[in-house]
Amino acid sequence: MKSDCMQTTICQERKKDPIEMFHSGRLVKVCAPMVRYSKLAFRTLVRKYSCDLCYTPMIVAADFVKSIKARDSEFTTNQGDCPLIVQFAANDARLLSDAARIVCPYANGIDINCGCPQRWAMAEGYGACLINKPELVRDMVKQVRNQVATPGFSVSIKIRIHDDLKRTVDLCQKAEAIGVSWITVHGRTAEERHQPVHYDSIKIIKENMSIPVIANGDIRSLKEAENVWQITGTDGVMVARGLLANPAMFAGYEETPLKCIWDWVDIALELGTPYMCFHQHLMYMMEKITSRQEKRVFNALSSTSAIIDYLTDHYGI
């Protein structure tokens, strides 16, 4: 397969305004920013199966601004890739605004990652440590607002919650006051990994906000998405691993349909998805529909042609 290339096509569908979606009164279904996974080919796939809004993987703003190579490898889009939010990891207002200006013609908005709990991100001043730095978040949002004058260009944040929820509500209200378009809330603290998601906390945050709020955390089916939407009173739900396992989830499928698998093969081949990514996505998609022995065989395949032969032999075209 060909490697990813920079394909900057100006978004022609600005009419698909996320803000208008959030005020529609219906559930807005969002594909989360996933490192390595939520790239153009996967976004194209989930859009075919009722996903309303997609995020890019998290991109380090400093590298993106300083390196053409980083821009070419990290950000690929096309005309059908709308509406699109580009998520940045940043700790510097000027660099973030520079990155926002670069992507502005090709996306509907940017999102500041204030929720990643990984140690490397926290050590660099990115991710979840920003929920404890509201002044820095304020400066970054203000700088982007000052530098990007495109009407409708959104600036959002994705956060985790504090142990003391009052601090999170205060952070969100301050973010709203400085012009954040919406807030995505992952209902765990930075220290929590597999503990139950605090949907009650997301509900409290939503009740204290006027701007849209998206709920995030452990949503694995359309039914669960609808339940979380109802429980929290939010304007949308964001899904990560649930979509990896079943990209057709938002269309109501309980497991990945065969048509979706073949759609992935077609899209990945057309867009030149690297082999490792192509194969890994299929392993996720086929987790529930293959036996243990079939998994061992399929996971050991080492070429695109071998995968296509396997799928043709076992599932037909």
Side-chain angles (χ1 to χ4, degrees):
M1 289 188 174
K2 297 180 296 181
S3 61
D4 280 348
C5 61
M6 185 68 171
Q7 188 179 2
T8 51
T9 303
I10 293 178
C11 180
Q12 300 295 325
E13 300 187 54
R14 294 283 188 184
K15 61 186 179 184
K16 290 185 177 179
D17 181 358
I19 293 292
E20 290 183 9
M21 288 182 180
F22 291 131
H23 289 119
S24 68
R26 66 177 182 83
L27 170 63
V28 179
K29 295 167 281 192
V30 185
C31 178
M34 292 177 279
V35 174
R36 294 186 301 276
Y37 294 122
S38 51
K39 293 197 172 185
L40 175 61
F42 188 69
R43 299 195 301 265
T44 303
L45 179 66
V46 297
R47 290 184 195 279
K48 288 175 67 73
Y49 290 91
S50 302
C51 184
D52 298 310
L53 177 63
C54 291
Y55 280 52
T56 68
M58 180 183 73
I59 300 169
V60 177
D63 296 341
F64 190 79
V65 169
K66 295 173 182 176
S67 167
I68 294 175
K69 183 178 179 181
R71 292 198 288 275
D72 288 347
S73 64
E74 295 294 328
F75 182 56
T76 307
T77 188
N78 61 24
Q79 185 171 327
D81 191 27
C82 289
L84 176 66
I85 304 300
V86 182
Q87 190 187 67
F88 286 111
N91 58 15
D92 180 282
R94 182 184 60 80
L95 286 172
L96 177 64
S97 64
D98 288 345
R101 281 209 312 271
I102 293 170
V103 301
C104 179
Y106 316 111
N108 294 75
I110 66 153
D111 183 82
I112 305 170
N113 187 318
C114 303
C116 179
Q118 295 184 39
R119 288 180 183 175
W120 75 266
M122 303 272 279
E124 293 290 336
Y126 305 141
C129 71
L130 291 174
I131 64 174
N132 299 314
K133 299 179 180 180
E135 302 303 317
L136 177 55
V137 174
R138 181 201 65 188
D139 290 346
M140 289 194 289
V141 174
K142 285 178 64 176
Q143 185 85 341
V144 174
R145 287 290 186 213
N146 290 337
Q147 295 297 318
V148 180
T150 303
F153 191 79
S154 64
V155 182
S156 57
I157 61 174
K158 183 174 185 290
I159 67 170
R160 285 189 170 229
I161 61 174
H162 298 86
D163 287 319
D164 179 0
L165 194 62
K166 291 179 182 178
R167 294 181 62 197
T168 314
V169 171
D170 182 62
L171 169 71
C172 292
Q173 289 176 334
K174 286 178 177 175
E176 178 177 352
I178 58 172
V180 163
S181 305
W182 68 81
I183 297 173
T184 301
V185 183
H186 181 97
R188 292 188 177 98
T189 68
E191 292 75 31
E192 292 176 323
R193 294 296 183 271
H194 304 294
Q195 292 87 338
V197 178
H198 303 289
Y199 295 120
D200 54 338
S201 296
I202 299 177
K203 181 177 188 290
I204 291 169
I205 292 167
K206 173 57 185 173
E207 289 171 346
N208 283 275
M209 306 299 295
S210 299
I211 58 174
V213 174
I214 303 174
N216 174 231
D218 277 4
I219 298 167
R220 303 300 180 104
S221 69
L222 180 58
K223 184 176 180 180
E224 287 183 10
E226 291 170 340
N227 286 342
V228 169
W229 179 52
Q230 294 289 342
I231 290 167
T232 60
T234 49
D235 305 279
V237 297
M238 175 182 282
V239 178
R241 287 175 292 181
L243 281 174
L244 282 181
N246 179 8
M249 187 197 97
F250 282 144
Y253 292 91
E254 292 298 317
E255 59 186 31
T256 310
L258 294 179
K259 184 181 185 305
C260 182
I261 290 172
W262 282 109
D263 283 340
W264 169 247
V265 172
D266 291 341
I267 291 166
L269 290 174
E270 180 183 350
L271 295 178
T273 301
Y275 175 77
M276 289 293 289
C277 182
F278 172 65
H279 191 197
Q280 189 69 52
H281 272 294
L282 286 169
M283 286 192 279
Y284 278 119
M285 290 180 209
M286 297 171 66
E287 176 70 23
K288 290 185 178 179
I289 63 174
T290 51
S291 67
R292 186 174 300 176
Q293 183 176 352
E294 288 172 331
K295 285 184 181 67
R296 281 199 296 268
V297 174
F298 184 80
N299 294 357
L301 298 176
S302 58
S303 71
T304 301
S305 59
I307 286 176
I308 293 173
D309 287 345
Y310 179 95
L311 293 175
T312 302
D313 291 344
H314 287 75
Y315 302 107
I317 296 177

